[in-house]
Amino acid sequence: MSFDVSADAYQRFMGRFSEPLAARFADLAGVRPGQRALDVGCGPGALTAELVERLGADAVSAVDPSPPFAAAVAERLPGVEVSVAAAERLPFPDGAFDAVLAQLVVHFMADPVAGLREMGRVTRPGGVVAACVWDHGGGRGPLTSFWHAVRELDPAAPDESGLAGVGEGQLARLFDQAGLAGAEATTLTVRARSATFEQWWQPFTLGVGPAGDYVAGLDATRRARLRERCRELLPLPPFALTARAWAARGVA
């Protein structure tokens, strides 16, 4: 899958959902003034910006394995300590943060258990480790209509329903395996509006993530067929889509 894309491309693809999700996720984690927080897999900075709003830039650090994303966050949010790093190898000492959060990241980690374990390592004893992932397994994520259309036209195509943590109860089990026992599991729900079908469809052509990879691999005829099937499955515009994320909160 590809996240070697511009921050703008990712923002257009997922920002309409990830930005409202960030506020709900920070509430779940109990982020409050006086804390020091880390955003793991920060992407273009939806959650990082929410953390800065609550804590101030000098109290927030962010990491992402994508250099373009890390550079975009550093430019967008001066004063934030931004590093290029994977979740499985965080460049911080033990117990450096009061809260360590990963929004829409765990299911893309090379080793989710190792990544969550690292998140716990850099959290102070008694601090919070939190993560959320879209409900791709239950068919309530923001890409449900897209993948439904794909499977109708190409039943053998892989989708995102088999990724780590995207099914009910899976994220809490990953927390347990990472030594973050007793994690509290819940769901977070957001809505995003599209004024036109093209506003909804065009971001899928930008090559972002598994969905973007799939579209990029289609010839013109198959892409047009998929586009029209998506149009048939969606409400008439303007429309709003609801997306649900699984979330878990543990204590280091």
Side-chain angles (χ1 to χ4, degrees):
M1 69 193 69
S2 176
F3 288 98
D4 186 18
V5 295
S6 70
D8 178 67
Y10 183 89
Q11 180 66 17
R12 291 168 63 190
F13 179 70
M14 191 53 68
R16 50 194 163 175
F17 291 98
S18 61
E19 289 186 349
L21 180 65
R24 290 164 174 76
F25 184 41
D27 286 342
L28 173 72
V31 175
R32 60 188 184 277
Q35 292 182 326
R36 178 166 174 75
L38 172 65
D39 182 1
V40 176
C42 61
L47 176 61
T48 316
E50 180 67 27
L51 297 176
V52 168
E53 180 70 21
R54 297 178 183 221
L55 307 177
D58 59 349
V60 176
S61 297
V63 299
D64 198 278
S66 166
F69 287 175
V73 173
E75 181 178 357
R76 175 183 178 184
L77 300 167
V80 173
E81 178 188 18
V82 184
S83 304
V84 177
E88 297 86 348
R89 296 179 298 279
L90 296 174
F92 304 104
D94 295 356
F97 300 95
D98 301 294
V100 178
L101 298 83
Q103 175 170 296
L104 310 179
V105 174
V106 169
H107 50 323
F108 292 126
M109 291 179 182
D111 186 336
V113 172
L116 289 169
R117 187 178 295 121
E118 267 289 89
M119 290 172 63
R121 179 187 67 78
V122 301
T123 306
R124 66 166 176 78
V128 171
V129 178
C132 63
V133 298
W134 291 126
D135 178 16
H136 294 308
R140 292 285 298 277
L143 310 181
T144 294
S145 296
F146 171 83
W147 287 118
H148 186 90
V150 168
R151 287 192 297 270
E152 282 190 6
L153 299 173
D154 183 5
D159 58 18
E160 298 178 60
S161 63
L163 297 176
V166 302
E168 185 172 5
Q170 293 177 5
L171 191 57
R173 286 195 291 274
L174 291 173
F175 269 62
D176 287 344
Q177 293 170 31
L180 300 164
E184 302 173 7
T186 188
T187 58
L188 303 171
T189 302
V190 297
R191 285 174 65 82
R193 291 186 60 82
S194 294
T196 66
F197 172 77
E198 286 303 325
Q199 185 183 52
W200 179 88
W201 167 257
Q202 200 275 336
F204 286 95
T205 69
L206 301 177
V208 181
D213 281 350
Y214 183 81
V215 172
L218 299 176
D219 60 34
T221 299
R222 294 175 66 204
R223 182 181 297 196
R225 188 178 301 124
L226 174 61
R227 177 179 176 276
E228 290 311 304
R229 185 58 185 137
C230 287
R231 186 197 296 274
E232 293 167 357
L233 291 174
L234 289 165
L236 291 174
F239 56 81
L241 298 179
T242 299
R244 182 174 71 179
W246 304 115
R249 179 183 185 274
V251 176

